[in-house]
Amino acid sequence: MSIVRSTTVALTAALAIGASLVSGVSANADSRYGVRHTAKVAKAAKARQAPATSRMTIASGQTEAGVGWQYYDNPTPGLYLDVDTSDAGFKTTPTYTASVGGRQFMFQLTGTSAIYMPTNTGFRVYIRWADNSPIEVADAVKYGWYVSWIGVD
């Protein structure tokens, strides 16, 4: 099977699973893309969902553009931002997803979605230029970089 066809099959299966989880109805199998076990996979995915009796907390937020970034120089120069999620009221450490946004040059950064030191009240994101050139807090301010996040507890 070619890489393109494998990717198409994987994406089709993922979309079918997502559709069945959101709607509660199994997606129809489409033999054109080799998806034959969609309903069986969707059932397995549903079984891993939180029990109906548990309470799940989902929250999201965004830091202020250009504010709070700190410089570090170990082992390579970069910036970090401590993200405060305490307003979400997570009881335990949630699963965080984050990304760095701003006005420009985010595509030239590395580390923009890596979560460090997660707790129920926050986490840290480290960034640096992908080419290891010098970066300064002034860059974060100038380009308006911020962190958008989602937490699921």
Side-chain angles (χ1 to χ4, degrees):
M1 187 181 287
S2 74
I3 291 175
V4 172
R5 182 159 167 78
S6 297
T7 303
T8 302
V9 169
L11 289 173
T12 303
L15 290 172
I17 291 168
S20 67
L21 290 175
V22 170
S23 67
V25 177
S26 296
N28 293 328
D30 188 340
S31 61
R32 291 178 299 164
Y33 300 109
V35 179
R36 293 185 182 87
H37 305 289
T38 305
K40 191 179 289 184
V41 173
K43 274 188 176 178
K46 275 188 161 182
R48 290 190 300 264
Q49 289 180 346
T53 57
S54 70
R55 301 209 105 209
M56 185 181 294
T57 301
I58 302 172
S60 64
Q62 179 176 307
T63 64
E64 193 173 338
V67 176
W69 292 97
Q70 301 290 314
Y71 180 79
Y72 75 91
D73 191 15
N74 186 15
T76 58
L79 303 177
Y80 70 88
L81 181 65
D82 289 321
V83 179
D84 180 0
T85 65
S86 58
D87 285 347
F90 294 122
K91 303 286 187 240
T92 61
T93 301
T95 300
Y96 289 113
T97 303
S99 67
V100 173
R103 287 189 296 277
Q104 59 189 145
F105 299 117
M106 293 80 64
F107 72 97
Q108 292 180 333
L109 298 170
T110 187
T112 57
S113 62
I115 305 294
Y116 290 87
M117 302 180 299
T119 69
N120 63 319
T121 60
F123 60 91
R124 181 176 283 183
V125 172
Y126 289 94
I127 60 171
R128 62 180 173 80
W129 292 119
D131 66 0
N132 286 325
S133 61
I135 191 170
E136 298 178 12
V137 172
D139 294 324
V141 174
K142 179 179 179 179
Y143 303 127
W145 293 334
Y146 58 86
V147 173
S148 294
W149 60 271
I150 298 172
V152 179
D153 181 15

